[in-house]
Amino acid sequence: MNKLVLPGSLWLASDVHLGPATPATAEAFMGFLQAAAEEADALLLPGDIFDAWIGDDVIRAAPPWLAQALQAIKATAARIPVYLGRGNRDFLMGQELADALGARLLPEPALVESDFGTLLITHGDEYCTDDAAYQQFRAMVRDPRWQAQFLAKSIPERLQMAQQARGESMAANQNKTMEIMDVNAQAVEAAFRDSGVATIVHGHTHRPDRHVLVVDGGKRERWVLPDWDCDHGAARGGWLVIDRDGLQFYDLDAAQ
């Protein structure tokens, strides 16, 4: 596994779910991007920045909401390194998008050498192994053959398929327990063993927290990034800062 060496202050945010129906969330995220450009040494976005991503070719005629978001990310990438991670909703983000933004694609998972030490950073859906139906879906859409067939369709067709898949996922999740949709303890322990790190950072579950556990007699920490939503009820969101002093959560209102 290749290691990214990123000194200084690293800012991480995920699960922003930008889309045409989330203007307040987009405004908050753009404020966060401006703050990151001024205060961070690198920005890592490990997945689900977009509510759906149907292919990089959408940037060639981006609707206004998307053009605005892309311009904000590009402006940040012009000042500090920006790494785009792929989540369960925007797994089709690719090199064309990264190049257009002046950003870089985050390895899956990413081994990052920070001033605090080495960490494993990923979206986190791969750890939700108790959800067998989702893991089957994940394996299908990550298959290069499926992706090639999907990307060969027209943009309207892809949009319709994405909306249908999202509706089916939301309906299915109503019948699943929160435990099934959370990470599996054995999968997390395996990730610690395979990577050799003491700290894992991920998003996906929308359960921001710091978990302390013991693996093979050694202390380990799993930090879960918050999701963002400023358009439905009370605003929520935030990010994680990693520097030589450790890891610290910041609530969204800190960027206002």
Side-chain angles (χ1 to χ4, degrees):
M1 190 184 301
N2 293 330
K3 183 184 296 185
L4 297 175
V5 179
L6 299 176
S9 178
L10 313 181
W11 287 28
L12 289 83
S14 71
D15 299 278
V16 183
H17 305 303
L18 296 175
T22 56
T25 305
E27 182 178 0
F29 182 64
M30 286 185 282
F32 162 76
L33 290 174
Q34 183 176 359
E38 296 171 353
E39 301 177 35
D41 293 297
L43 174 63
L44 293 82
L45 304 172
D48 281 9
I49 296 305
F50 299 99
D51 196 47
W53 191 260
I54 61 169
D56 287 358
D57 54 339
V58 298
I59 67 177
R60 302 170 196 170
W65 73 267
L66 178 57
Q68 186 180 33
L70 295 178
Q71 181 55 43
I73 297 172
K74 184 176 181 178
T76 302
R79 300 180 62 179
I80 61 173
V82 173
Y83 290 84
L84 302 175
R86 286 160 283 201
N88 57 295
R89 299 193 190 185
D90 50 16
F91 54 87
L92 284 173
M93 291 193 301
Q95 197 61 52
E96 180 180 350
L97 172 64
D99 290 345
L101 299 180
R104 309 166 199 192
L105 293 175
L106 195 64
E108 301 179 86
L111 202 61
V112 175
E113 181 67 40
S114 73
D115 287 346
F116 178 69
T118 304
L119 311 98
L120 189 70
I121 298 173
T122 186
H123 184 61
D125 57 326
E126 67 270 38
Y127 302 145
C128 299
T129 56
D130 291 332
D131 191 344
Y134 170 71
Q135 292 300 327
Q136 291 175 356
F137 172 80
R138 185 180 191 275
M140 178 185 73
V141 300
R142 294 287 182 132
D143 187 314
R145 293 169 296 179
W146 183 93
Q147 293 187 359
Q149 293 173 356
F150 180 80
L151 292 172
K153 299 181 184 298
S154 69
I155 288 180
E157 286 178 309
R158 281 180 267 159
L159 278 172
Q160 183 178 9
M161 290 178 66
Q163 291 169 353
Q164 180 179 348
R166 182 62 188 145
E168 292 174 353
S169 174
M170 292 176 66
N173 286 347
Q174 291 180 354
N175 298 317
K176 297 176 182 177
T177 66
M178 293 302 293
E179 288 74 23
I180 286 178
M181 292 188 290
D182 203 353
V183 300
N184 173 276
Q186 287 72 38
V188 170
E189 290 178 5
F192 276 115
R193 291 191 183 100
D194 293 343
S195 63
V197 301
T199 306
I200 291 177
V201 179
H202 69 83
H204 180 64
T205 64
H206 302 184
R207 293 181 171 188
D209 206 346
R210 168 181 173 260
H211 301 269
V212 179
L213 58 155
V214 176
V215 178
D216 298 335
K219 177 185 174 183
R220 305 288 186 265
E221 292 188 1
R222 178 172 65 90
W223 292 67
V224 186
L225 299 169
D227 66 311
W228 294 49
D229 189 350
C230 301
D231 293 274
H232 307 92
R236 67 176 184 271
W239 66 98
L240 184 68
V241 173
I242 303 171
D243 57 25
R244 63 184 181 183
D245 295 324
L247 292 76
Q248 184 173 349
F249 279 125
Y250 288 84
D251 290 330
L252 183 57
D253 57 10
Q256 305 305 309

